Amino acid sequence: VAFRSSVCCITINEFQEGGRMAHAVRLVVAVLGPQTENKVVERMAGVVRGLGVEVICAGTGSPITSLVAAVVQEDADALALVISDDGQCPSVLELLRLLRLECGERVRVVVKGGLSPFSRAKLHDQGVSLILGPDDPPESVLQVVKPAPQRGE
């Protein structure tokens, strides 16, 4: 386990693609909600890690600027956020704004949490790739965690 800033890299997985080495898909996972949501992140990380995705845990309650920095530093393909409710939507919207400034549209964002239909629609309209409810299985994140064609090599 290697530590970079406050980010813990859980696994690194490389594979041969067309005769050259390419990095596995990188997913940063974080909890914006209470620490009780950590179990959701741990389960999600375990499921996707088992399928060859590099999972970078950014912890609980990290400032959104730190999450954006982790995505940039790790050259992540996607960011999965676990939130508790609609009250965290303003933070998610600000994170999206900062992320788009740094990465454009390259990084896909998944949000998992108990959200109202209004909040779900607002987040989707602002560019969240996938919104999962509290009862959706963590492996649902795989719907958007695929290699990004624009990653610089």
Side-chain angles (χ1 to χ4, degrees):
V1 176
F3 291 92
R4 288 174 242 159
S5 302
S6 62
V7 176
C8 170
C9 182
I10 294 177
T11 183
I12 297 176
N13 193 2
E14 293 188 344
F15 58 95
Q16 192 76 17
E17 181 181 276
R20 62 191 164 105
M21 292 304 284
H23 290 284
V25 176
R26 292 184 180 123
L27 171 69
V28 172
V29 295
V31 176
L32 288 184
Q35 281 189 318
T36 56
E37 305 293 343
N38 277 345
K39 290 184 188 284
V40 175
V41 168
E42 290 169 8
R43 185 166 170 229
M44 182 186 298
V47 168
V48 298
R49 184 183 327 117
L51 296 170
V53 174
E54 181 180 342
V55 179
I56 300 119
C57 289
T60 301
S62 297
I64 58 174
T65 52
S66 296
L67 296 178
V68 171
V71 169
V72 171
Q73 177 182 342
E74 299 297 337
D75 195 22
D77 297 298
L79 170 65
L81 298 171
V82 176
I83 65 175
S84 57
D85 56 39
D86 291 343
Q88 294 169 313
C89 283
S91 295
V92 174
L93 292 171
E94 178 62 8
L95 186 146
L96 284 169
R97 186 186 73 75
L98 295 172
L99 190 60
R100 297 307 177 227
L101 287 173
E102 291 290 330
C103 303
E105 299 292 321
R106 182 184 67 77
V107 176
R108 289 168 303 278
V109 177
V110 176
V111 174
K112 181 173 176 56
L115 298 170
S116 69
F118 175 79
S119 293
R120 291 168 81 79
K122 187 168 187 164
L123 291 176
H124 181 71
D125 289 346
Q126 294 300 312
V128 172
S129 302
L130 180 64
I131 301 169
L132 303 171
D135 296 328
D136 290 322
E139 57 269 18
S140 298
V141 74
L142 294 172
Q143 295 175 43
V144 297
V145 179
K146 299 174 186 160
Q150 300 174 13
R151 174 183 281 154
E153 296 191 14

